[in-house]
Amino acid sequence: MAVDPEHVAVNGRKRAQRPQMSHREVADELRSRIVSGELRAGERMPTQARLADEFGVERGTVRQALRILQSENLLSNVSKGSPATVAESVEKALTGPAAPPRTTMVALASRITAAFSAPHVEIDALCLTAVSLTLAMGEPLRLIHEGRLKPARIDVRVLLPSRDIDLAFPAAVDATEDGERVRRRWLAQRNAQGQVLKHNLLALRATHGIDVHITFRALPFTPPVKLYLLNEAEALFAYYTLSRRGAEIDSEYLETYDAEGTQSTLFAFEQGEGLRATTFVEQSHLWFNALWETISSELVLTG
């Protein structure tokens, strides 16, 4: 039997093959191609056989991935026969009221980009490090620099945990020996993300004459959830779900309890979608403003 030469070392032993992609990973990759426009609305997808070959998976894995995208209204005509078709209303499927919950990494950028189409952009965020927010801002900033978005004013307020508290998470499994190192890494990440976000937004004053204001405040507790409020019309909400995971800190492998915020499922609520959604948006604003105006304190993105 012939052996794939890609997996054979010079001594004749078989090399370890990379772990096969899951159907969710295949769906994530295809979704990103649809979101980016690489796969355009109304376009026929490659055949399942071709996708299986490209990703190195079984056809059944591809079919599962396509069904996920069909359930998200991004594909139509998913079957064992002819190739699926990218939906005509991709933008509506991604950002409309019927859009299914997706991870923060997938959903946040498109919703923040839509918010930047307003003349006055208002974004409030409560989170652990601002990693997701900084990543999501990349797309609207790119469109501003391309001249495709032209807001006149941008106001951003961010609530982050204070450096002076005992964080509930991230936390070392062995808190007695490794707790301080885990805390220092979180603090460095919080400060770095905040500084990048602040620099990128304030730069728009000089490059595009946009009236930009960004302010940070410190919370006296570790938030168990993340919240993004967009233009006083939309609330995006996600839980920080903890798990035990390994991390390399100071060149040493440590076990920690942490949450992968970019992978948290984001639930969207918009004013006008109904009484429950409208009330949730209104109450979320009241909650955020109450924290901002009462128990939060000045936050400095250093040290």
Side-chain angles (χ1 to χ4, degrees), residues 108-118 136 138-141 143 149 230:
L108 186 58
S110 61
R111 292 187 176 274
I112 285 185
T113 300
F116 267 74
S117 63
E139 181 63 11
L141 291 177
L143 295 176
L149 289 176
L230 312 181

Side-chain angles (χ1 to χ4, degrees), residues 67-190:
R67 289 191 190 109
I68 289 176
L69 300 181
Q70 183 180 42
S71 71
E72 297 175 359
N73 299 316
L74 293 175
L75 293 180
S76 60
N77 302 324
V78 174
S79 67
K80 292 184 179 180
S82 59
T85 304
V86 180
E88 294 287 353
S89 54
V90 168
E91 185 64 26
K92 183 177 180 181
L94 290 170
T95 63
R102 298 187 179 92
T103 65
T104 302
M105 176 65 80
V106 172
L108 186 58
S110 61
R111 292 187 176 274
I112 285 185
T113 300
F116 267 74
S117 63
H120 183 189
V121 181
E122 296 179 87
I123 296 177
D124 294 334
L126 180 149
C127 43
L128 188 66
T129 61
V131 169
S132 298
L133 181 61
T134 302
L135 290 172
M137 284 288 189
E139 181 63 11
L141 291 177
R142 180 181 67 82
L143 295 176
I144 288 173
H145 287 295
E146 290 181 358
R148 295 164 61 186
L149 289 176
K150 299 179 180 179
R153 179 183 174 103
I154 301 171
D155 286 302
V156 177
R157 299 187 299 174
V158 184
L159 284 170
L160 295 166
S162 168
R163 60 167 294 164
D164 299 321
I165 65 172
D166 292 329
L167 283 174
F169 65 91
V173 173
D174 187 349
T176 57
E177 292 186 7
D178 305 317
E180 180 56 25
R181 280 192 289 172
V182 173
R183 192 197 74 84
R184 284 200 308 267
R185 188 188 68 155
W186 162 81
L187 182 60
Q189 188 177 53
R190 186 206 72 171

